[in-house]
Amino acid sequence: LVRECRGDVLEFVEDDFRIDADFAVAALGLCRSSARHIAEELWADGDFVLQALAVDPSAFRCAARELRLDRGFVLRAVRAHGSVVEHVAPELQIDADILCAALRSDTQALKQLTLESRSDPHIVLPMVKCCGCSLEHASRELQASPDIVLAAVQEDSKALKFASESLRGDADFVFRAVLVDS
């Protein structure tokens, strides 16, 4: 039935379909706006939410509040789909384990964070320690921070290309970065 439908199928079906996890995931795959018609009880089921994330990572926003604030569940979600970090509660976006899990799943995860988060050394430092090249998405101020850049280069020497021009042009700094990497 779902394969032949287009658009927001769950809006027009009986409630039994709205609580059927397989049907709901298939409908979500056809139309993201189907999320608003999926039964609340499914959004409270962590296994269902993880299935939904495979179809649409932005569906994390629809998960029950308890799941969105559950550190263990959030960790599972970002391990599976790093881009979910964009929709994680601000207090969990600064959790080093969650950030590193997101980066291992999606090296662009830092890009998903707000500029404010990408400008916070307490958030960026653990991320570059986990994935040096995530320095690319840090704020310009942090790309010019010797401590942040050295941590990134220590994890991956290629991260130096994302350092500010002033640091890349500073012979003493480049020498220290090369020593850190060796």
Side-chain angles (χ1 to χ4, degrees):
L1 175 65
V2 175
R3 288 183 186 170
E4 297 182 20
C5 294
R6 294 285 181 242
D8 198 354
V9 259
L10 289 179
E11 182 178 358
F12 307 107
V13 298
E14 297 294 321
D15 288 343
D16 289 349
F17 288 108
R18 295 174 198 219
I19 60 170
D20 181 288
D22 294 331
F23 190 87
V25 168
L28 189 60
L30 285 175
C31 180
R32 289 180 178 180
S33 65
S34 294
R36 66 178 174 227
H37 300 292
I38 293 173
E40 284 184 35
E41 62 201 68
L42 286 179
W43 290 120
D45 177 340
D47 291 332
F48 168 77
V49 172
L50 291 173
Q51 288 177 13
L53 295 177
V55 173
D56 177 12
S58 71
F60 186 81
R61 295 178 295 203
C62 299
R65 186 175 193 280
E66 296 77 28
L67 287 177
R68 291 191 325 264
L69 296 174
D70 179 317
R71 183 182 182 277
F73 177 75
V74 170
L75 199 50
R76 285 176 54 204
V78 298
R79 280 183 180 140
H81 309 282
S83 63
V84 165
V85 76
E86 174 183 13
H87 308 291
V88 169
E91 60 268 26
L92 293 175
Q93 279 189 350
I94 61 173
D95 183 298
D97 293 334
I98 288 173
L99 294 173
C100 283
L103 277 171
R104 286 187 183 109
S105 172
D106 179 357
T107 57
Q108 302 291 309
L110 183 56
K111 184 179 180 180
Q112 307 299 327
L113 299 179
T114 64
L115 180 57
E116 180 181 354
S117 295
R118 291 183 286 129
S119 300
D120 184 335
H122 295 101
I123 293 174
V124 173
L125 184 60
M127 292 189 82
V128 298
K129 284 182 175 181
C130 179
C131 176
C133 286
S134 65
L135 181 64
E136 175 182 10
H137 303 295
S139 68
R140 289 182 185 203
E141 294 80 21
L142 293 183
Q143 290 174 339
S145 166
D147 293 336
I148 298 288
V149 174
L150 285 174
V153 170
Q154 187 170 13
E155 198 287 318
D156 185 343
S157 61
K158 295 179 188 111
L160 189 58
K161 71 181 173 183
F162 303 115
S164 67
E165 279 188 46
S166 62
L167 285 180
R168 285 185 283 127
D170 179 334
D172 290 335
F173 177 79
V174 171
F175 183 72
R176 281 192 310 166
V178 169
L179 287 179
V180 164
D181 188 47
S182 54

